Amino acid sequence: MTHDISLVVLDMAGTTVADGGLVEQAFSAAADGLGVADGTPERARMLAHVRATMGESKISVFRHLLGDEDRAQQANRAFEAAYHDLVDAGHCAPLPGAADAVEALRTAGLKVALTTGFSRATQDRILTALGWQDLADLTLCPADAGRGRPHPDLVLTALLRTGTGSVQQVAVAGDTGYDMLTGVRAGASVVAGVLTGAHDEARLRADGATHVLASVAGLPGLLAR
């Protein structure tokens, strides 16, 4: 295995799970609840920030946008309720080859952690919808780790909980610049960007990607070299 990797930390939405615009749809519901009308400069500014910070803890995004804890919590509740409704309506699917990739990594003896910027309730909703409750060795959300992306906490928590011996034995994969920053700040040897989600190759490399793959399906092959 490349760099003697023993732990792989994977993002969910946009990396292993198809997003299909669900985050933006749920954000729109939250903005509506706050009285920020569609088509206004304020709505456009907020949406631009949401797109730029894909991968970050959602409550952190709303705190930045609104500057008020009560309004941020209100927006986050509306966001989660809308996202849950979309998941429950069947608008949640695995990306092609994602489950096979996780199974291949685990068969090769690696530990796999699935991480998210969503809350635990939302993460569990997605895992249940996909039948992925037992797919990975570990699932983590920001509340489990202390801070969400772009901080290194999710990766380091995965390392601690799996008993991984060194940050050099860790590979991180995700679709956003924040995923790349998280991997770099955690000291991971492999920080792989995938092109199935929010950000393009230029953004992924600018934020520290060591590799860029068409999709997470290519990760087992990369780590087997």
Side-chain angles (χ1 to χ4, degrees):
M1 287 288 171
T2 300
H3 301 285
D4 193 28
I5 298 298
S6 60
L7 169 64
V8 181
V9 181
L10 300 176
D11 171 52
M12 291 181 65
T15 303
T16 54
V17 181
D19 174 59
L22 298 188
V23 168
E24 292 192 15
Q25 290 179 56
F27 165 76
S28 292
D32 289 342
L34 292 169
V36 182
D38 194 15
T40 62
E42 178 68 1
R43 180 79 160 246
R45 179 190 70 82
M46 293 173 73
L47 181 56
H49 182 75
V50 168
R51 288 171 174 163
T53 59
M54 284 289 191
E56 185 178 357
S57 168
K58 294 300 172 279
I59 185 61
S60 296
V61 172
F62 287 119
R63 283 172 178 148
H64 175 88
L65 285 172
L66 301 170
D68 177 88
E69 184 65 20
D70 288 343
R71 292 189 79 213
Q73 292 291 347
Q74 176 190 346
N76 195 56
R77 285 192 296 271
F79 173 90
E80 290 190 353
Y83 201 97
H84 292 177
D85 287 344
L86 290 165
V87 171
D88 291 347
H91 301 294
C92 182
L95 280 164
D100 289 343
V102 173
E103 290 169 358
L105 292 167
R106 295 184 72 190
T107 297
L110 284 69
K111 300 286 188 183
V112 176
L114 292 174
T115 65
T116 185
F118 295 138
S119 69
R120 168 53 64 183
T122 303
Q123 184 178 37
D124 284 346
R125 202 90 165 213
I126 295 168
L127 293 168
T128 299
L130 299 179
W132 280 10
Q133 298 95 323
D134 299 315
L135 180 66
D137 296 279
L138 180 67
T139 63
L140 294 171
C141 68
D144 298 320
R147 297 174 297 178
R149 309 181 190 107
H151 301 290
D153 302 30
L154 283 165
V155 175
L156 297 178
T157 299
L159 176 146
L160 290 170
R161 292 200 184 179
T162 57
T164 301
S166 167
V167 293
Q168 294 178 344
Q169 295 174 287
V170 179
V172 173
D175 67 299
T176 71
Y178 274 30
D179 292 308
M180 303 301 96
L181 288 171
T182 293
V184 170
R185 293 174 181 179
S189 292
V190 174
V191 181
V194 298
L195 299 175
T196 49
H199 294 153
D200 61 16
E201 181 170 358
R203 170 70 186 271
L204 296 171
R205 290 201 181 277
D207 285 337
T210 59
H211 303 79
V212 175
L213 304 171
S215 77
V216 74
L219 191 60
L222 171 67
L223 297 183
R225 292 176 189 168

